[in-house]
Each structure stands twice: as C-alpha cells, then as structure tokens.
Amino acid sequence: MRVGLLTEGGYPYATGEARVWCDRLVRGLDQHDFEVYALSRDARQEAAGRAELPAQVRRVRTAPLWGEPTGRRRSY
C-alpha cells in the first residue's frame, strides 16, 4: 500500500518529538511505501537538513510556508 503523509513544520526536517513520532510511524509500517509531503516553516529549517529516512520513504516533496509563492514544487 502507498501512503501519503502530510506534515506541517515537522518530519523530516523538525527535531524533537514531532520527528520522533512520524519516524516511528513510518518505520513501524515498513510493509508500506510512503510519500512525505512536508510543509516547511522557514529557510533555516530546510538548511539544517532532514532526518535519515528509511527505504520505504520513496519521495519527499517540500512546500515552504515562507517566502514568496513561486508556483513550483521541490522534489527530492
């Protein structure tokens, strides 16, 4: 099964409890494929990097909640 996981200001960029909770969910459901849609809070959060992701995370798409809208999505 493929799962879309929408995170606001969190996984895979956040540190602390938000990242831990999402990471446990993704790793615990290792029989599923995940696409993560991350809404990032600011440029510093993205620049700090993201958590090491397990193999079942097939794609991360990031949409910034900061700056000027560009109409473009970033895929990694």
Side-chain angles (χ1 to χ4, degrees):
M1 177 187 300
R2 195 168 74 190
V3 178
L5 178 62
L6 175 65
T7 64
E8 180 181 351
Y11 189 75
Y13 297 103
T15 59
E17 198 63 34
R19 182 182 346 197
V20 171
W21 186 90
C22 289
D23 197 55
R24 284 183 186 158
L25 175 70
V26 170
R27 290 179 192 278
L29 296 173
D30 62 350
Q31 70 274 27
H32 302 300
D33 291 333
F34 283 84
E35 290 187 13
V36 177
Y37 300 89
L39 304 176
S40 67
R41 292 187 301 246
D42 57 38
R44 289 179 300 166
Q45 184 181 37
E46 285 187 43
R50 59 185 190 191
E52 185 176 326
L53 299 170
Q56 64 265 29
V57 175
R58 303 292 184 209
R59 181 186 316 190
V60 176
R61 291 190 177 186
T62 302
L65 296 176
W66 47 274
E68 295 295 319
T70 63
R72 293 181 10 209
R73 286 184 295 197
R74 287 180 273 184
S75 289
Y76 301 98

